[in-house]
Amino acid sequence: MQIIIALIVFSVIIIIHELGHFSLARKNGVTVTEFSVGMGPRLFTIVKGDNGLSIKFFASTDTCLNRADWKEHTKYSLKLLPLGGSCMMLGEDEDVPDVNAFNNKGVWARISVIFAGPFFNFLLAFACALFIIGKVGYDKPTVDVVAKDFYTEGEGIQVGDVLKEINGSKIRVSREVGYYLAFEGCPGDSFTAKVDRNGKIVTVKSPYYKNKEGKITLPFDVAYGRVGIGPLNVIKYSAYEVKLWIEITIKSVGKMITGQVSKDEISGPVGIVDMIGDTYKESRSEGVMQVILNMLYVTIFLSANLGVMNLLPLPALDGGRLVFLFIEAVRGKPINREKEGMVHLIGLIILMGFMFFIMFNDFAKLFHR
């Protein structure tokens, strides 16, 4: 069951991404030759043409529609492997003498089509956050534990304080304390925090704390319980939830580039499916609603992550395509299509090699658990 749920979550995120490309392509008059759910061989294809709906089972690219018909109608296909999807556009990777071909549209229209995929991922994350926060509230960063005998009365952080900043980093939800420690650590001998104490902002300067394991950390913990809020704040904190995950993904990529993340901390599709399955198993004893909330929370994380990763300025990714389009916008003419295609092809080969390595690493971690 957990594998099915994991595949559904993963597929929905990718389909929403492709739906972004599809929606803006149609909006800008770009012919979409095929919108498909899944990958691999087609199980069946639906074509809405002049004579109504046409359905072909086990349709191949050649037998479903002839080349001329592609310019007029969009194929909607269901494919064998229930993972992902695609949006194929006329003239996306080649010069086609058709007014509705992708490469014959204005540069800003093409930019909007490419950017729409990641943007729809952010919208999906926002919609999931709206449901979660509207249902159970947000994790208010209220101090609930202070290291015993670390402070004298009134000297430092107190139970009941609501954190606002640590060393200049804004704290809006409890989880950010853990993220701050993960990305920033404990620089220097002390830290400065701003807290809301009974409605008054108080600045506290404090030394760090060495716990029983000898680790240097903050001398307090925050509560992770959810606090209910009104409709406007639900929207505010939902938007912030998406912003937070975008920032975390960008910082994580930075750590990967600088070699601060080991290969065991990186997961691909296999690792993600395993993680979703573990989350499902851990939450099913708490009831259906808790499973739904946890799956939506996983969707926020993955959808924001996919949106950011696709915007990286790397060949074959949406971000790489946007780089070429912005260059075209600045210089007033496109870069040679063949050269651009070659760059994306090389990037795709490198990307596939990296994905193969990640998949191998995922299986290795599974077998060594």
Side-chain angles (χ1 to χ4, degrees):
M1 182 64 181
Q2 56 260 37
I3 294 178
I4 294 174
I5 292 176
L7 288 174
I8 291 172
V9 170
F10 201 64
S11 295
V12 166
I13 292 168
I14 297 177
I15 290 168
I16 292 296
H17 177 93
E18 299 300 338
L19 187 62
H21 294 313
F22 175 83
S23 300
L24 268 293
R26 296 293 293 267
K27 180 72 173 177
N28 286 285
V30 177
T31 296
V32 178
T33 57
E34 181 176 26
F35 183 86
S36 62
V37 175
M39 299 176 67
R42 295 174 180 82
L43 296 178
F44 68 85
T45 296
I46 300 175
V47 182
K48 185 178 180 181
D50 298 331
N51 298 320
L53 292 179
S54 173
I55 302 178
K56 291 184 178 293
F57 292 91
F58 300 101
S60 68
T61 300
D62 297 327
T63 60
C64 179
L65 286 173
N66 62 46
R67 182 75 178 181
D69 287 336
W70 282 20
K71 299 180 181 180
E72 305 297 332
H73 307 299
T74 300
K75 296 183 294 182
Y76 299 91
S77 301
L78 178 66
K79 297 186 176 181
L80 179 62
L81 303 177
L83 187 67
S86 65
C87 175
M88 300 176 64
M89 294 173 281
L90 183 67
E92 184 178 2
D93 297 310
E94 58 183 340
D95 286 321
V96 176
D98 188 288
V99 68
N100 293 323
F102 176 79
N103 280 326
N104 292 332
K105 295 297 180 179
V107 64
W108 292 106
R110 283 177 282 146
I111 287 173
S112 70
V113 172
I114 298 300
F115 180 73
F119 183 69
F120 267 49
N121 282 131
F122 300 143
L123 288 181
L124 173 61
F126 178 69
C128 293
L130 279 176
F131 183 89
I132 294 173
I133 296 174
K135 180 71 177 176
V136 297
Y138 82 113
D139 47 321
K140 187 176 181 179
T142 304
V143 175
D144 64 344
V145 177
V146 175
K148 189 176 181 181
D149 300 327
F150 190 74
Y151 296 127
T152 59
E153 184 67 27
E155 185 184 52
I157 304 290
Q158 299 178 16
V159 172
D161 287 345
V162 179
L163 280 173
K164 294 296 181 181
E165 288 183 15
I166 300 177
N167 286 340
S169 296
K170 298 287 185 182
I171 303 293
R172 295 180 178 84
V173 295
S174 299
R175 285 161 290 134
E176 283 184 282
V177 177
Y179 300 145
Y180 172 82
L181 290 172
F183 290 108
E184 306 296 335
C186 296
D189 299 320
S190 63
F191 67 95
T192 300
K194 288 185 178 180
V195 300
D196 183 334
R197 183 174 295 165
N198 300 319
K200 181 181 178 181
I201 300 299
V202 177
T203 300
V204 176
K205 187 166 185 178
S206 165
Y208 289 106
Y209 171 69
K210 182 182 288 188
N211 61 22
K212 294 179 180 179
E213 290 76 33
K215 182 180 179 181
I216 302 298
T217 185
L218 296 169
F220 61 86
D221 287 325
V222 291
Y224 283 83
R226 296 275 176 164
V227 177
I229 48 179
L232 291 180
N233 277 325
V234 167
I235 296 173
K236 171 186 172 182
Y237 279 97
S238 297
Y240 184 71
E241 187 76 29
V242 179
K243 177 177 178 290
L244 177 60
W245 279 112
I246 290 173
E247 291 176 348
I248 290 171
T249 304
I250 293 172
K251 289 179 179 179
S252 298
V253 170
K255 281 186 170 288
M256 287 174 57
I257 294 173
T258 56
Q260 299 178 60
V261 175
S262 71
K263 64 181 181 66
D264 292 334
E265 297 178 87
I266 303 173
S267 292
V270 175
I272 291 171
V273 168
D274 184 56
M275 179 267 289
I276 295 173
D278 288 343
T279 303
Y280 166 74
K281 285 190 290 186
E282 291 170 4
S283 58
R284 62 184 176 183
S285 62
E286 301 177 41
V288 174
M289 181 52 67
Q290 191 60 45
V291 170
I292 292 173
L293 291 173
N294 283 345
M295 290 302 104
L296 288 176
Y297 194 73
V298 169
T299 301
I300 294 173
F301 155 65
L302 292 177
S303 194
N305 193 284
L306 180 64
V308 172
M309 297 302 287
N310 261 280
L311 286 175
L312 293 178
L314 301 176
L317 296 179
D318 291 335
R321 290 181 175 274
L322 287 173
V323 168
F324 280 94
L325 288 170
F326 281 123
I327 292 174
E328 179 182 339
V330 171
R331 66 196 295 259
K333 60 179 181 178
I335 293 175
N336 183 278
R337 304 289 188 200
E338 290 185 5
K339 292 180 179 178
E340 180 182 349
M342 183 59 65
V343 170
H344 289 311
L345 177 61
I346 294 172
L348 180 61
I349 293 171
I350 295 173
L351 184 63
M352 293 303 292
F354 180 70
M355 289 303 298
F356 178 79
F357 166 76
I358 294 297
M359 187 173 296
F360 178 82
N361 191 53
D362 282 345
F363 280 115
K365 287 189 291 185
L366 285 177
F367 288 128
H368 285 87
R369 283 202 308 186

